[in-house]
Amino acid sequence: MSQNTGPPRPSHCPPTGDGTRHAGGTPGSGRRLTVADVLALPVLAAGQPQVVTGVTRLDRPVRWVHITELTDPASFLKGGELVLTTGMPLPEDTAGVRRYVDELADVDAAALVIELVRRYHRPPDALVQACRSRRLPLVTLARDVNFLEVTQLVHALILGNQTDAMRRTQRIHEAFTALTLRGAGPEDVVRAAAVMSGRTVVLENLVHQALICEPSGSTVEEVLTGWEQRSRSAPPGDRTRTRGPEGWLVTAVEYQGERWGRVAMLPPPGTDAARAAAAFSPEDVTVLERTAMALTIARLIHSTPWERTAHRSALRDLTEQRHHSPEDARARVAALGLPTEGAVYRAVLTDGGTVGDEAGLESRLSRELTALGRPALVGTLAPGRIGILLALRPAQRWRPTVERLSRLVLGVRPEAVVSVGPEVTNLADAPRSFRAAARVAEAALPGRPPPDGRSFHEQSDIGLRHLLYALRTDTRVQDFAERRLGPLLDHDSRHGSGLVTTLRHYLDAAGNKTTTARRGNLSRETVYQRLRTIERLLDCDLESGEQRTELHTALTALDVLRLG
């Protein structure tokens, strides 16, 4: 353990036993010190360290450094120590060496570092075999190293990191306290957790549906594909810890002993299960636990169930096409329980009625769909408008389902309009179905249900009158009606002549003057005289089919404008 006098090696990556290098790196603020970090320090690098066993485990955290020349050093260890020795106390016999290594491994020592200067010039085979068997990193030093200097430096780094960690933990607590005080919703909480940790964070309910997903370094598709099956392989537990084959860091979200769900933090993409636990720092655990606490408070403050919030968010993103890709959209709705394979989709909209009571109607519609066994997303898209995305089997009858939903809506909001969009076979086309349903709703005439007794409206209901009603706020439609009929309306207003009524009868009778006279209780001569007056006032030819069509359109526009 003499002071080393040789020049430091230029590389800070310790060579392994087979001549390759492990990329350890200089320890940085914000993460735990690892075996690789310590071996990369100049004071140890000067000893020409060689990693003999455990090269894949150099990312193990170092909690402390322990210098020992005892035959039973494990009795003084608590786990996570980097053990430094000259090799002098190692037993001579193989069984003794194996016992020595077993005791270090049992207390979870971080690594064993042995100097090959005094007693040994190569590591004993029994020591190598024992360390390899227990997966304990064994590092040899070819030159003298000042162990005391190593201890002082590493302990200073550890204590400095602990101080930094305390500051970071304090900032985490302050950030979540601020979120809680301003009444942040669950989306805000999960987003903050993802930003603070730099990890993907997902909130799920008790049946493993992913309600909120904030990806980091991944796409939604990569995170949520096969979510339920993957989540079920990570069993629940009472403590925050890594679980499952993918090594998720998970914690329960609960209140007064009642579990509401759980929040998962995912390791970086490509991290295998054996290294997943090391991917999370104590600060990550703090972030996740504070996330769970903030979510509990958010659930108590915001009365809307998480599932309803998730449905609303998913529907809005879908209809407004805010997903990064169709694959992301499919993964997200699949994680909410909507079929994405072997299904067709149809949009249903409810418009009008009492604004502000959407949550209650949402819940009733959702319960009705559950009772019918129809998978769907239900959510408020805008004030007064609730959207439903039905997932159906091909050729499955959809009208009875929509009829039941429509009658439920009208029972709560008699003045509402329920409209249906066309069937689409691809989830990416769902926005088109919603846009069509919205156009149907805009064209539905107030107080005029479909003629066949249905309580909902669909595209086939839209005729000229409905189209003009939908366009009634367009000034071009208003200008057209006024230009074609204005002189006649003015004449009737001044003289009370009723020429507009005569024109309406004439157009409805397809130009038959006899029928026009009968409908207006007029003589044929009077009808002829009125029609000539109409032609003069409107500068038109009533024998022209095109001009009669224009006048009929203008009259229909006038009707819907007055109706609107």
Side-chain angles (χ1 to χ4, degrees):
M1 290 190 300
S2 62
Q3 171 70 42
N4 92 73
T5 57
R9 294 171 61 95
S11 171
H12 59 258
C13 296
T16 66
D18 59 3
T20 61
R21 291 186 179 276
H22 177 84
T26 302
S29 175
R31 65 179 180 85
R32 293 172 294 182
L33 205 65
T34 66
V35 174
D37 293 331
V38 175
L39 297 182
L41 295 172
V43 65
L44 261 179
Q48 299 178 3
Q50 290 260 333
V51 181
V52 181
T53 67
V55 66
T56 62
R57 308 197 75 199
L58 297 186
D59 57 355
R60 303 187 74 195
V62 175
R63 189 186 63 82
W64 210 242
V65 176
H66 185 75
I67 304 172
T68 182
E69 299 301 338
L70 300 175
T71 57
D72 59 341
S75 60
F76 295 92
L77 306 180
K78 295 184 178 180
E81 291 89 355
L82 186 80
V83 178
L84 302 177
T85 180
T86 62
M88 299 298 290
L90 279 178
E92 294 283 351
D93 60 304
T94 300
V97 171
R98 186 179 301 114
R99 182 174 60 254
Y100 182 90
V101 172
D102 283 342
E103 289 177 357
L104 292 179
D106 288 343
V107 297
D108 201 26
L112 174 63
V113 180
I114 180 172
E115 246 184 15
L116 301 180
V117 176
R118 290 166 178 78
R119 180 177 178 184
Y120 298 107
H121 295 286
R122 61 184 298 272
D125 291 339
L127 180 63
V128 173
Q129 292 299 330
C131 288
R132 181 172 291 123
S133 174
R134 292 304 305 268
R135 301 182 69 231
L136 176 69
L138 172 64
V139 181
T140 62
L141 299 175
R143 302 181 62 181
D144 271 345
V145 169
N146 188 330
F147 284 175
L148 182 59
E149 186 179 346
V150 173
T151 301
Q152 290 174 335
L153 178 58
V154 173
H155 288 177
L157 289 172
I158 291 172
L159 293 173
N161 276 353
Q162 289 175 348
T163 302
D164 290 342
M166 290 176 64
R167 294 193 187 101
R168 290 192 298 273
T169 300
Q170 181 63 28
R171 287 196 293 269
I172 291 168
H173 286 300
E174 290 171 354
F176 278 102
T177 299
L179 283 170
T180 300
L181 289 176
R182 69 179 176 85
E187 298 96 338
D188 298 323
V189 173
V190 174
R191 187 178 303 113
V195 170
M196 275 187 253
S197 64
R199 301 276 188 254
T200 294
V201 180
V202 180
L203 170 67
E204 67 172 13
N205 62 11
L206 295 178
V207 293
H208 301 276
Q209 292 177 343
L211 305 179
I212 302 174
C213 171
E214 282 293 335
S216 178
S218 306
T219 64
V220 172
E221 178 193 11
E222 290 169 338
V223 174
L224 295 184
T225 296
W227 177 265
E228 181 179 345
Q229 181 180 1
R230 292 160 56 209
S231 176
R232 290 185 183 280
S233 68
D238 296 328
R239 297 190 312 138
T240 304
R241 54 172 295 183
T242 54
R243 298 180 182 276
E246 297 180 45
W248 294 354
L249 183 67
V250 297
T251 193
V253 181
E254 55 186 30
Y255 177 69
Q256 293 185 342
E258 179 186 0
R259 186 163 296 181
W260 288 348
R262 70 175 178 176
V263 60
M265 185 181 289
L266 277 56
T271 305
D272 57 46
R275 300 167 65 90
F280 298 108
S281 67
E283 287 81 14
D284 292 329
V285 175
T286 301
V287 167
L288 200 66
E289 291 178 342
R290 284 305 310 261
T291 300
M293 291 173 60
L295 285 170
T296 294
I297 296 171
R299 175 136 188 170
L300 295 173
I301 293 174
H302 302 277
S303 59
T304 304
W306 287 341
E307 288 78 6
R308 296 269 53 81
T309 302
H311 278 218
R312 287 179 187 174
S313 178
L315 267 181
R316 289 173 182 173
D317 288 349
L318 194 63
T319 57
E320 297 172 19
Q321 297 179 294
R322 295 191 297 206
H323 292 285
H324 291 295
S325 68
E327 292 74 22
D328 279 6
R330 278 198 298 272
R332 184 175 182 188
V333 300
L336 288 174
L338 199 73
T340 56
E341 300 292 337
V344 295
Y345 307 93
R346 192 176 288 271
V348 181
L349 288 178
T350 74
D351 278 278
T354 304
V355 176
D357 186 34
E358 286 81 8
L361 186 54
E362 270 185 20
S363 297
R364 293 188 61 178
L365 289 168
S366 183
R367 288 196 299 270
E368 183 72 12
L369 286 162
T370 301
L372 293 172
R374 299 288 185 266
L377 295 180
V378 182
T380 300
L381 300 178
R385 170 173 286 185
I386 296 175
I388 303 168
L389 181 63
L390 289 174
L392 305 161
R393 296 187 303 274
Q396 184 177 12
R397 296 176 62 207
W398 59 271
R399 292 178 184 276
T401 298
V402 176
E403 183 66 27
R404 287 189 61 166
L405 296 177
S406 179
R407 294 194 180 281
L408 187 155
V409 170
L410 295 176
V412 177
R413 298 178 171 180
E415 67 278 25
V417 171
V418 179
S419 57
V420 184
E423 177 184 288
V424 294
T425 57
N426 193 318
L427 189 67
D429 294 326
R432 176 165 58 84
S433 186
F434 275 103
R435 286 194 297 270
R439 288 195 292 268
V440 172
E442 291 168 359
L445 294 169
R448 298 192 186 183
D452 57 2
R454 282 181 284 114
S455 59
F456 61 89
H457 299 262
E458 53 184 306
Q459 281 184 308
S460 60
D461 299 334
I462 300 178
L464 176 62
R465 188 176 300 274
H466 299 83
L467 178 63
L468 291 171
Y469 181 76
L471 300 174
R472 64 192 181 278
T473 58
D474 192 318
T475 56
R476 290 170 296 181
V477 173
Q478 298 171 12
D479 180 67
F480 174 75
E482 182 62 25
R483 282 190 295 104
R484 299 303 287 130
L485 298 175
L488 205 60
L489 293 166
D490 291 343
H491 186 277
D492 278 353
S493 179
R494 289 194 303 269
H495 304 287
S497 50
L499 292 179
V500 171
T501 301
T502 300
L503 177 62
R504 188 187 301 279
H505 290 158
Y506 176 76
L507 295 174
D508 288 343
N512 187 302
K513 297 180 178 64
T514 302
T515 303
T516 301
R518 184 175 66 253
R519 288 180 177 176
N521 293 318
L522 302 171
S523 65
R524 286 176 60 88
E525 290 75 11
T526 303
V527 168
Y528 290 150
Q529 181 183 0
R530 289 191 171 201
L531 293 179
R532 285 194 296 271
T533 303
I534 291 171
E535 287 179 323
R536 176 175 58 81
L537 291 171
L538 299 182
D539 190 20
C540 67
D541 179 7
L542 291 179
E543 296 298 323
S544 166
E546 181 178 351
Q547 293 193 33
R548 284 213 299 260
T549 299
E550 290 180 4
L551 291 171
H552 178 70
T553 303
L555 275 173
T556 306
L558 180 66
D559 290 343
V560 299
L561 287 168
R562 288 172 172 172
L563 182 65

